[in-house]
Amino acid sequence: MAHLNLSTRARLAILLATVAIIAAAGIFLWQATANRQRQLIFEIPPGTAARLAAGEEVTIFPSTIVIDLRYHDTLIIQNNDNAEVTIGPFRIVPGQRFVQRYWSPGTYELICSVHQGEQLRIEVR
């Protein structure tokens, strides 16, 4: 087996190149993970409570919201109305933003004060 006798300068160059490769790989993996995160944003617009009280049909959410665990989906509901909104056990006051992450698969049937039929289904896959 041949013995390599590298100078200090050559060893330093190899060390710096190795650190640069490891850093580039880390940045690439971090960026790939960050790109998989999604935000599912639903806005409750101003005047929603008044429209519901007047008997209008208001569609803000689909009948089923699908949360995909592979994409690290985050559910965000922004209440821009002047009335409180109830979704499941949560009350979202005017101007408040509700943020919910899900960690395991399941189906959630929730009461929703702004959804048609006051029912909202969330499927986590």
Side-chain angles (χ1 to χ4, degrees):
M1 183 184 255
H3 178 67
L4 293 175
N5 191 10
L6 299 174
S7 68
T8 303
R9 185 177 262 168
R11 285 187 215 160
L12 183 59
I14 291 170
L15 177 64
L16 290 175
T18 303
V19 168
I21 290 169
I22 292 170
I27 290 170
F28 174 77
L29 289 174
W30 174 78
Q31 188 65 32
T33 300
N35 286 341
R36 284 196 321 244
Q37 295 178 353
R38 295 189 309 182
Q39 293 183 337
L40 304 175
I41 302 172
F42 297 93
E43 176 190 345
I44 299 165
T48 299
R51 291 176 56 207
L52 287 168
E56 285 186 45
E57 204 172 297
V58 176
T59 304
I60 296 171
F61 307 109
S63 59
T64 301
I65 296 174
V66 177
I67 304 292
D68 193 328
L69 294 173
R70 293 174 301 167
Y71 295 107
H72 308 283
D73 287 349
T74 300
L75 175 63
I76 299 172
I77 300 170
Q78 174 68 42
N79 185 3
N80 292 330
D81 197 9
N82 61 358
E84 183 177 274
V85 172
T86 300
I87 297 180
F90 305 103
R91 297 203 183 281
I92 307 169
V93 299
Q96 184 179 25
R97 177 177 261 201
F98 172 77
V99 178
Q100 179 69 42
R101 291 278 317 266
Y102 294 88
W103 304 102
S104 58
T107 301
Y108 303 89
E109 300 285 344
L110 304 173
I111 294 172
C112 177
S113 62
V114 295
H115 198 270
Q116 199 65 17
E118 295 195 359
Q119 292 291 318
L120 175 63
R121 172 182 276 205
I122 299 176
E123 288 185 13
V124 182
R125 301 177 186 167

